[in-house]
Amino acid sequence: GYHFMDINSFEELTLSAAAVGDAANYLPDGLELEIVAFEGSPIDVELPVTVDMEVVETEPGVRGDTTTGATKQAQLVTGLTVQVPLFVEKGNLLRIDTRTGEYQARA
């Protein structure tokens, strides 16, 4: 399961992997978000429109390589893989759109 903490009461909430679903790709540590509850039990997470996540792995960009549309793949801290511009490097913080899963900008 996934564990969340209420920042006001410090109460811990747990959601199953099935309840979190694909939202798990957009849940870096420390992210503040809304938990949807029904009759006092957490049932879903409400993601912000964008999240900032760190690049943990990507190939170096090759100057002049525009045959692939000037993008490359980058793996983020949650395991999500996105297409990014060639200038993005390991350790960069990226803003990702949670609705489409696409790179928006460097954060």
Side-chain angles (χ1 to χ4, degrees), residues 42-107:
I43 59 169
D44 196 10
V45 295
E46 197 170 292
L47 293 171
V49 175
T50 61
V51 293
D52 296 342
M53 293 192 284
E54 182 180 353
V55 175
V56 294
E57 186 177 323
T58 189
E59 296 293 322
V62 178
R63 214 175 265 264
D65 181 11
T66 57
T67 60
T68 60
T71 63
K72 61 182 180 178
Q73 289 190 339
Q75 184 176 2
L76 306 178
V77 69
T78 61
L80 179 67
T81 301
V82 296
Q83 289 294 121
V84 298
L86 295 176
F87 59 79
V88 172
E89 299 175 353
K90 181 178 177 180
N92 286 157
L93 198 59
L94 305 181
R95 183 154 296 142
I96 306 298
D97 187 321
T98 59
R99 299 166 298 182
T100 63
E102 295 177 351
Y103 163 86
Q104 295 294 305
R106 280 195 285 187

Side-chain angles (χ1 to χ4, degrees), residues 28-40:
D29 289 340
L31 178 67
E32 289 187 24
L33 50 85
E34 298 286 326
I35 301 289
V36 179
F38 178 72
E39 294 181 358

Side-chain angles (χ1 to χ4, degrees), residues 5-11:
M5 182 181 71
D6 184 318
I7 59 173
N8 297 319
S9 68
F10 301 107
E11 177 185 353

